[in-house]
Amino acid sequence: ITNPNVNQNTFDALTSHGHNVGVPSTCTSRAVGLINAGRIAEGCKALAWAPDGKTPVWAFVTDAQGRKQFVQGLHNRRLAESRLCAEGL
């Protein structure tokens, strides 16, 4: 995170995300790119949603046949991280 205006809640949300999906994936994510560019609210939203604002992200697993499967519990976690990230903005 290179944006000096990131508050503790945003930092904590990104730490949780990194712990769950991997630090390299979080650091190279669209969310962190937006946050570093000063678009913190948009970056927080990007922790849970694709650019269209309707498609969940980081909420899928790959099954044995190689198909992506949506997991509501993972999406719930991303939504919680997104809310924490934006808290206090």
Side-chain angles (χ1 to χ4, degrees):
I1 303 167
T2 60
N3 184 342
N5 298 314
V6 168
N7 68 27
Q8 188 65 49
N9 289 332
T10 301
F11 180 82
D12 291 347
L14 292 172
T15 299
S16 172
H17 191 273
H19 177 76
N20 284 275
V21 303
V23 172
S25 294
T26 297
C27 289
T28 60
S29 70
R30 182 172 62 90
V32 171
L34 289 165
I35 289 167
N36 284 340
R39 297 162 59 187
I40 298 172
E42 290 175 71
C44 291
K45 186 176 178 182
L47 288 172
W49 300 104
D52 65 10
K54 300 175 186 175
T55 306
V57 295
W58 304 103
F60 296 85
V61 296
T62 304
D63 68 18
Q65 290 75 37
R67 295 179 301 235
K68 297 281 185 179
Q69 298 291 320
F70 176 74
V71 178
Q72 185 63 53
L74 292 176
H75 188 55
N76 292 346
R77 181 176 287 181
R78 301 294 84 83
L79 291 170
E81 290 166 347
S82 180
R83 284 189 298 272
L84 175 61
C85 180
E87 201 171 290
L89 296 181

